[in-house]
Every structure is written in structure tokens, then in C-alpha cells.
């Protein structure tokens, strides 16, 4: 956060007190062409600012001069191959590597996409070869890329005789509530973050791939595509069923049923139904931030924030409403 080397050690998951591993990182930086200040003691190397630095060679002797090290290092890069070599040198575990990959690329799937685009997928596979769940990550990488190209079969998640009742990115208009978790609420209105299905289902299945159950909050179930940053929320389901699922449980393949379909309305609702929405990390105003996406296309809608409001019986907003949905 306050130094080039310190930030890199954090991203790589290297303890700054581990002298041997820090030395390996410094060697990698130097071999990658990054400049540092001139000092015999590598503990005193500086990677930015105006300092004396090695600027060339006269025969077998280095020449030293004043150098804007920050500018000299702009545009320099550390290759995936160099990272792989470092992890091999410091004998990093599979968990160490995956944690570093998540910090740098956001997720293992993002890492595979980046490596594939640069022709380095073989190196990426070798880096994660000792990670026990690599086959699931690779399967989800293929599933996600196919979903981004061809869409997600959200209808296929629902088993039973039901129909879609609300679409993504539309204003619901005022909805009369049959149940509500908010005192005094009779009407609900929202810009819809996902897709709703009415009563009549029997079960809710995975949309494909492998999904990790993150947590249950009252009637809300949260899942994450294993190895990716795509998250899914299913609402208005039985809280007792959620409390019986252990966080970290993986669903997919032969264990494809996520939940039973509710027969009554849990939380606030107009009757027995479910709501499915998804979020992804996507560019916004110069950085990557979590955004609601269309569950069927995984693309963004017409707005960044999605607003909702609880109203009383005459349609007046309750105190503190409207609010924006949390981009989980």
C-alpha cells in the first residue's frame, strides 16, 4: 500500500519477514527489468523516486547515475512465467498460489482468461496443478465462457409447474404484499435485480457448473461459482432448510439440487415465489466493482444502482425508504 515491493509481497502472499522469500521476489523483480536504487544492501533497494541507480555498464563495471526510477519502471511487467518460477523457488503450496491468484486477478477463472489470452494457459495449469479442486475450476471456466457466449438456462433451474412472473431490470410498479418482514409495509416497489418465478415448483437446481454455498441469511441463499467471482442469490426460500446447509458445500454434477421450492412466502412477498439474481465484478468508473447482471446473459442492465421501497397502505414511502439494493 505504500511501497512497490511491499504491495507485491502482499499480492504474492509472501511474508515480508521471510528473508529468503523476499530475496527471491527481489531477484524476480530485477530479472524482469525493474530498476532499483543503487545500494549494496538489498534491504535498502528503492523501486520508485529519484535516486542513484545503475544506468549502464563500462566493460564489466556498472555505471551509476541519478535516475527517475518511477518513470523507468513504468510499463515494465512481471510475466506469468516469472511468477510460476518464483512460486517454484519458494516452494509455495497450492493454497498459497490460489490465494495469490485471487488477489491479483480477482479469481482463478479470471486468471485463466488472462493467461489464455496471452498464450500462457499451459503455465497457468502447471501453476495450479497441485491445487486439489483444479478440475472443478477448469470445468467452471468452460461453463462461464460458454454462458457469456450463449446465455444461462435460468428456466432450467426450476423443476415443477411454475412460470416466470418478473424480469430483470424492470420497474415492478406497486405490489400488494401478502407477507412482509417490515413493520407497517403493505406495498412494495422495486427496480428488479433478477428474475422471479411464481408458485408451483418442486425444487431449484444449479444452472450448471459447480457452486459453493457461501451463507444463508434468513430466507436468502448465497452461492458463488467455484473459482470465479460470479455470485448468485436465491430469495424467499425456507430459512430452516438454509440453516441445515454447511457453508462451503459444493453443488453441481450429481449433487445438483440447491434447494426445495417454497410452498409459502418467506420474507416479504405477494405469495409463494422465488427470486434469482446475480452479481459480477465489472469495470465501472475506472475500477472493478460488483454489479447486478442479467442472470440469463450475465450482462449489465440499464442502471448501476437498483432501488426499492416499502410503502404503507396508501402508497406513501415508509421512513428511510427508498434504498439501494446491496451489491453483494
Amino acid at each position: 500500500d505504500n511501497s512497490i515491493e511491499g504491495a507485491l509481497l502482499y499480492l504474492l502472499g509472501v511474508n515480508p519477514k521471510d528473508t529468503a522469500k523476499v530475496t527471491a521476489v527481489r531477484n524476480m523483480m530485477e530479472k524482469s527489468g525493474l530498476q532499483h536504487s543503487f545500494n549494496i544492501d538489498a534491504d535498502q533497494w528503492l523501486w520508485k523516486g529519484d535516486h542513484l541507480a545503475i544506468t549502464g555498464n563500462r566493460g564489466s563495471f556498472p555505471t551509476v547515475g541519478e535516475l527517475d526510477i518511477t518513470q523507468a519502471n513504468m510499463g515494465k511487467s512481471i510475466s506469468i512465467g516469472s511468477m510460476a518460477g518464483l512460486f517454484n523457488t519458494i516452494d509455495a503450496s497450492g493454497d498459497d498460489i490460489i490465494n495469490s491468484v485471487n488477489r491479483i486477478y480477482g479469481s482463478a477463472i479470471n486468471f485463466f482468461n488472462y493467461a489464455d489470452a496471452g498464450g500462457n494457459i499451459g503455465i497457468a495449469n502447471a501453476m495450479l496443478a497441485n491445487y486439489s479442486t483444479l478440475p472443478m475450476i477448469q470445468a467452471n471456466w468452460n461453463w462461464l465462457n460458454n454462458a457469456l457466449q450463449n446465455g444461462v438456462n435460468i428456466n432450467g433451474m426450476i423443476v415443477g409447474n411454475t412460470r416466470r412472473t418478473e424480469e430483470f431490470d424492470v420497474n415492478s410498479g406497486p405490489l400488494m404484499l401478502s407477507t412482509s418482514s417490515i413493520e407497517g409495509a403493505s406495498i412494495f416497489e422495486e427496480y428488479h435485480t433478477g428474475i422471479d418465478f411464481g408458485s408451483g415448483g418442486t425444487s431449484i437446481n444449479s444452472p450448471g457448473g459447480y457452486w459453493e454455498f457461501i451463507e444463508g441469511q434468513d430466507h436468502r441463499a448465497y452461492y458463488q461459482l467455484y473459482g470465479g467471482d460470479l455470485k448468485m442469490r436465491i430469495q424467499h426460500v425456507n430459512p430452516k432448510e438454509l440453516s441445515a446447509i454447511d457453508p462451503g458445500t459444493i453443488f453441481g454434477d450429481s449433487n445438483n439440487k440447491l434447494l426445495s421450492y417454497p410452498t409459502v412466502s418467506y420474507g416479504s412477498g405477494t405469495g409463494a415465489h422465488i427470486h434469482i439474481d446475480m452479481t459480477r465484478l465489472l469495470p465501472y468508473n475506472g475500477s472493478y466493482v460488483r454489479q447486478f447482471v442479467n442472470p440469463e446473459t450475465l450482462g449489465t442492465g440499464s442502471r448501476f444502482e437498483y432501488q426499492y421501497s416499502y410503502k404503507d397502505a396508501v402508497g406513501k414511502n415508509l421512513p428511510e425508504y427508498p434504498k439501494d439494493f446491496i451489491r453483494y
Side-chain angles (χ1 to χ4, degrees):
D1 53 355
N2 62 2
S3 71
I4 305 300
E5 183 181 304
L8 186 59
L9 293 175
Y10 167 78
L11 290 171
L12 295 169
V14 172
N15 186 341
K17 295 181 180 180
D18 191 322
T19 304
K21 291 182 179 179
V22 170
T23 297
V25 171
R26 289 172 180 160
N27 290 339
M28 178 187 69
M29 295 170 74
E30 195 173 32
K31 289 178 181 178
S32 296
L34 287 161
Q35 288 272 19
H36 58 77
S37 61
F38 179 73
N39 200 304
I40 300 299
D41 184 358
D43 285 338
Q44 303 302 314
W45 285 358
L46 301 173
W47 304 90
K48 62 180 181 179
D50 295 321
H51 301 284
L52 285 176
I54 296 175
T55 55
N57 291 284
R58 183 180 294 122
S60 58
F61 297 96
T63 56
V64 177
E66 190 75 17
L67 183 67
D68 181 347
I69 297 175
T70 302
Q71 188 58 42
N73 284 338
M74 293 296 288
K76 298 291 178 63
S77 63
I78 296 172
S79 70
I80 291 177
S82 295
M83 285 176 56
L86 172 74
F87 288 134
N88 184 60
T89 298
I90 66 176
D91 195 27
S93 69
D95 285 339
D96 291 336
I97 296 173
I98 200 71
N99 288 337
S100 176
V101 162
N102 289 338
R103 283 179 173 177
I104 297 171
Y105 300 96
S107 72
I109 289 177
N110 288 347
F111 172 56
F112 278 131
N113 283 333
Y114 181 83
D116 191 41
N120 293 308
I121 193 62
I123 296 176
N125 282 324
M127 281 175 63
L128 296 179
N130 293 328
Y131 194 62
S132 59
T133 56
L134 178 60
M136 284 198 297
I137 295 174
Q138 291 171 325
N140 278 355
W141 177 44
N142 292 327
W143 179 88
L144 181 59
N145 287 336
N146 180 69
L148 289 169
Q149 182 175 355
N150 301 307
V152 181
N153 181 15
I154 296 297
N155 290 341
M157 293 178 61
I158 311 304
V159 179
N161 184 24
T162 186
R163 63 183 181 86
R164 285 162 68 140
T165 56
E166 196 77 62
E167 297 299 319
F168 169 71
D169 196 25
V170 298
N171 190 323
S172 67
L175 302 170
M176 300 303 297
L177 296 171
S178 60
T179 60
S180 179
S181 56
I182 303 299
E183 184 177 354
S186 298
I187 299 171
F188 183 70
E189 187 168 352
E190 66 179 334
Y191 280 101
H192 207 234
T193 60
I195 295 173
D196 280 9
F197 293 84
S199 61
T202 57
S203 64
I204 308 167
N205 291 346
S206 162
Y210 294 90
W211 293 82
E212 181 178 5
F213 179 75
I214 303 301
E215 64 174 331
Q217 293 179 352
D218 192 17
H219 60 86
R220 307 172 190 90
Y222 292 86
Y223 304 84
Q224 185 162 347
L225 186 71
Y226 191 81
D229 61 51
L230 179 65
K231 291 184 179 180
M232 175 172 62
R233 177 174 60 179
I234 303 176
Q235 300 192 76
H236 309 296
V237 294
N238 191 332
K240 289 185 178 180
E241 184 175 4
L242 294 184
S243 66
I245 305 174
D246 293 326
T249 300
I250 303 294
F251 293 89
D253 198 13
S254 59
N255 184 27
N256 195 43
K257 179 183 174 182
L258 300 177
L259 295 160
S260 300
Y261 205 90
T263 55
V264 298
S265 179
Y266 295 98
S268 297
T270 56
H273 75 291
I274 67 162
H275 167 100
I276 300 171
D277 59 24
M278 295 185 181
T279 63
R280 293 174 59 200
L281 283 169
L282 293 169
Y284 183 78
N285 284 349
S287 62
Y288 276 79
V289 292
R290 192 156 289 282
Q291 302 179 48
F292 284 106
V293 295
N294 186 331
E296 288 190 304
T297 67
L298 305 185
T300 56
S302 63
R303 55 184 53 80
F304 180 65
E305 295 289 6
Y306 286 75
Q307 200 173 75
Y308 69 103
S309 184
Y310 286 98
K311 305 171 185 287
D312 62 19
V314 296
K316 182 180 178 182
N317 286 337
L318 296 182
E320 300 184 1
Y321 291 96
K323 293 181 178 180
D324 290 328
F325 283 110
I326 296 173
R327 290 177 274 108
Y328 60 92

